[in-house]
């Protein structure tokens, strides 16, 4: 296949030679005028050395590589990519008798920037974070049909909110293959959840907390547990199976509705949930809870908001640390990519000092292996957490 070529400025090839998946617009020396948003392009160094194949975008990240060897981007290409991602998860045993939900494809971590596929018991939610990936949706759907075979029930495109703002008006969320009849119910480590990928946040479920929820269960036996920012109650359900009582808090009424549905689905009777702001809820909760989970939404989405985000993480964690019962356990997370793990650890240390509590770090937590981080793309690491023993 003959793709348009992009030539880089002298010396700008070093990151591509280390397989970093992005080319910034300032690195480009020459580009054909006909190249449009989303077009497949081949990138060459100033000395005409082939560097990789990717797709073009009008923005500061001008090219995102999807291959570092010359290749035609067609259904076979996507089959190979998605099959490799699927086999990797199979090797690790992520999908098994007790778990039929996982991230099937995680952008750069699986070798295609901008592509997210979440697997919900035979239903796949496709999320394109760029126009280049969006244009490939039919080839990707056909590839999914071939990779998953009869296990595949539906593919739902939920890109309207993840495409760049100037492009998302041209799209509408809809099925690309099949459809669902009735509720989608998944099992995660034998806990069941109803997934509303059409109306729910993100692709319908926070698939990235599976291992951390399991760890919470280990520390929740006969404890009083508070799960803040609970969304569909992932942490609550795991904890409630072993705890004395579990309280769940979320500011969204529809999230609490799903959380309640999930407690019923799991036949749990020791839970209570509250539609409330976490900061307001915590106000009068001194010495009530043995275990507190803080899993807020990304407080920082850009570098500009980093400072405010750190202030918010510190305030939230200092409050929880002040109020948690003696010999309590705090599970605290940040999913802001721009707040790296060291900044997060330092922020939590500052919160502990402010709360005047002695803490010990029991665990440093991160995203699970179906959200792979690769050494050529450290930016892929976004979820970090700590488990603290609070004296
Ligand atoms: N822990 C969840 C995911 C959390 S997503 C899980 O495992 O699935 C973040 C959630 O925080 C969203 O459901 C959002 O509605 C909620 N939220 C955002 N701001 C909030 C606030 N100030 N108080 C309480 N909930 C809030």
């Amino acid at each position: 296949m003959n793709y348009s070529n992009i030539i880089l400025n002298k010396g700008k090839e070093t990151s591509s030679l280390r397989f970093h998946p992005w080319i910034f617009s300032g690195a480009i020396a020459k580009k054909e005028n006909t190249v449009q948003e989303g077009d497949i392009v081949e990138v060459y160094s100033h000395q005409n050395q082939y560097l990789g194949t990717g797709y073009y975008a009008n923005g500061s990240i001008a090219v995102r590589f999807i291959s570092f060897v010359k290749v035609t981007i067609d259904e076979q290409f996507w089959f190979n990519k998605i099959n490799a991602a699927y086999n990797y998860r199979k090797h690790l045993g992520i999908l098994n008798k007790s778990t039929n939900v996982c991230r099937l494809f995680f952008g750069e971590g699986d070798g295609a920037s901008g592509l997210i596929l979440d697997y919900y018991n035979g239903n796949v939610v496709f999320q394109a974070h760029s126009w280049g990936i969006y244009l490939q949706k039919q080839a990707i759907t056909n590839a999914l049909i071939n990779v998953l075979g009869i296990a595949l029930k539906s593919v739902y495109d939920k890109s309207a909110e993840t495409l760049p703002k100037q492009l998302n008006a041209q799209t509408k969320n809809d099925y690309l293959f099949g459809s669902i009849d009735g509720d989608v119910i998944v099992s995660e480590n034998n806990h069941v959840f109803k997934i509303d990928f059409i109306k729910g946040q993100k692709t319908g479920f926070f698939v990235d907390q599976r291992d951390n929820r399991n760890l919470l269960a280990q520390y929740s036996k006969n404890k009083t547990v508070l799960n803040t920012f609970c969304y569909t109650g992932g942490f609550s359900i795991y904890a409630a199976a072993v705890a004395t009582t579990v309280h769940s808090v979320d500011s969204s009424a529809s999230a609490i509705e799903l959380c309640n549905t999930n407690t019923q689905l799991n036949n749990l009777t020791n839970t209570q949930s509250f539609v409330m702001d976490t900061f307001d809820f915590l106000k009068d909760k001194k010495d009530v809870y043995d275990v507190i989970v803080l899993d807020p939404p990304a407080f920082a989405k850009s570098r500009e908001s980093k400072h405010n985000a750190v202030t918010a993480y510190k305030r939230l964690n200092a409050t929880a640390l002040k109020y948690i019962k003696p010999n309590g356990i705090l599970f605290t997370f940040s999913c802001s990519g721009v707040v790296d793990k060291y900044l997060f650890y330092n922020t939590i240390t500052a919160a502990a000092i402010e709360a005047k509590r002695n803490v010990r770090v029991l665990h440093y937590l991160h995203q699970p292996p179906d959200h792979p981080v690769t050494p050529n793309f450290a930016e892929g690491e976004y979820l970090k957490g700590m488990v603290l023993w609070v004296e």
Side-chain angles (χ1 to χ4, degrees):
M1 188 72 180
N2 238 348
Y3 295 120
S4 294
N5 292 351
I6 282 185
I7 316 287
L8 299 187
N9 285 316
K10 213 171 171 180
K12 289 295 182 187
E13 67 279 9
T14 47
S15 74
S16 311
L17 293 172
R18 279 187 275 113
F19 304 120
H20 190 281
W22 298 345
I23 296 288
F24 288 96
S25 56
I28 294 179
K30 250 195 269 166
K31 157 177 102 56
E32 289 159 38
N33 286 337
T34 50
V35 175
Q36 287 181 10
E37 179 83 31
D39 282 356
I40 302 291
V41 291
E42 285 183 352
V43 179
Y44 291 82
S45 74
H46 203 68
Q47 287 79 24
N48 220 24
Q49 179 188 5
Y50 168 84
L51 298 169
T53 302
Y55 57 84
Y56 179 77
N58 294 307
S60 77
I61 304 172
V63 180
R64 289 174 166 86
F65 286 120
I66 52 179
S67 176
F68 291 100
V69 291
K70 272 196 187 184
V71 68
T72 301
I73 307 302
D74 56 9
E75 204 176 301
Q76 184 62 42
F77 169 83
W78 288 111
F79 175 86
N80 294 343
K81 273 267 167 203
I82 294 169
N83 202 37
Y86 182 53
N87 282 334
Y88 159 79
R89 284 148 180 86
K90 272 209 299 208
H91 278 304
L92 296 178
I94 292 171
L95 290 170
N96 54 50
K97 278 204 187 90
S98 49
T99 301
N100 55 23
V101 47
C102 79
R103 179 147 291 183
L104 193 57
F105 202 98
F106 179 60
E108 289 88 351
D110 283 301
S113 177
L115 174 61
I116 297 293
L117 299 171
D118 279 346
Y119 181 85
Y120 295 116
N121 190 13
N123 303 285
V124 173
V125 180
F126 163 90
Q127 244 183 4
H129 289 248
S130 57
W131 194 248
I133 291 294
Y134 190 72
L135 292 179
Q136 301 290 324
K137 66 180 192 290
Q138 204 48 56
I140 291 171
T141 303
N142 293 344
L144 274 167
I145 293 169
N146 288 327
V147 170
L148 295 174
I150 53 162
L152 185 66
K153 297 174 197 156
S154 73
V155 180
Y156 185 75
D157 167 22
K158 205 180 179 189
S159 305
E161 51 259 56
T162 53
L163 286 170
K165 281 216 167 44
Q166 65 277 19
L167 300 167
N168 65 9
Q170 303 171 36
T171 67
K172 199 171 128 284
N173 293 336
D174 206 353
Y175 286 98
L176 297 167
F177 170 78
S179 63
I180 53 165
D181 49 351
D183 291 342
V184 174
I185 307 288
V186 301
S187 170
E188 190 189 78
N189 292 315
N190 286 328
H191 302 283
V192 289
F193 294 94
K194 181 182 156 182
I195 306 297
D196 186 349
F197 52 72
I198 295 178
K199 285 199 242 102
Q201 300 177 32
K202 308 262 167 143
T203 66
F205 191 60
F206 284 78
V207 190
D208 54 1
Q209 289 287 24
R210 178 180 55 244
D211 295 347
N212 301 329
R213 290 173 186 146
N214 240 350
L215 189 66
L216 174 71
Q218 288 178 33
Y219 287 105
S220 299
K221 216 166 177 195
N222 303 324
K223 304 280 192 221
T224 52
V225 179
L226 171 65
N227 179 22
T228 63
F229 309 93
C230 68
Y231 187 40
T232 58
F235 283 103
S236 310
I237 302 299
Y238 280 63
V242 294
T244 314
T245 51
V246 175
H247 289 172
S248 306
V249 180
D250 200 288
S251 54
S252 149
S254 56
I256 289 295
E257 205 178 299
L258 275 166
C259 176
N260 290 341
T261 302
N262 289 329
T263 54
Q264 281 162 17
L265 276 176
N266 290 278
N267 301 316
L268 299 162
T269 50
N270 54 344
T271 62
Q272 239 186 307
S273 47
F274 306 85
V275 180
M276 237 174 133
D277 177 274
T278 295
F279 290 94
D280 291 340
F281 183 86
L282 281 171
K283 260 181 198 145
D284 54 354
K285 301 295 186 306
K286 191 158 169 51
D287 290 339
V288 176
Y289 299 107
D290 299 303
V291 180
I292 297 180
V293 181
L294 304 174
D295 184 24
F299 284 156
K301 293 218 166 80
S302 64
R303 269 167 223 294
E304 295 72 48
S305 53
K306 194 157 118 175
H307 177 75
N308 288 346
V310 167
T311 310
Y313 284 122
K314 185 173 159 223
R315 186 161 76 93
L316 175 67
N317 280 277
T319 309
L321 284 164
K322 247 182 245 169
Y323 287 2
I324 201 164
K325 271 188 179 172
N327 301 328
I329 289 182
L330 180 73
F331 276 68
T332 181
F333 297 95
S334 162
C335 58
S336 304
V338 292
V339 176
D340 70 28
K341 58 186 169 198
Y342 302 107
L343 179 55
F344 182 63
Y345 301 159
N346 288 334
T347 306
I348 302 306
T349 306
I353 293 167
E354 187 181 312
K356 300 192 173 62
R357 296 294 291 263
N358 286 329
V359 301
R360 291 174 204 175
V361 181
L362 304 183
H363 304 272
Y364 290 107
L365 303 179
H366 42 83
Q367 63 216 56
D370 52 337
H371 296 62
V373 182
T374 58
N376 58 321
F377 189 68
E379 297 93 321
E381 187 172 19
Y382 71 98
L383 180 65
K384 54 258 146 206
M386 290 168 97
V387 183
L388 301 179
W389 171 265
V390 190
E391 270 186 34

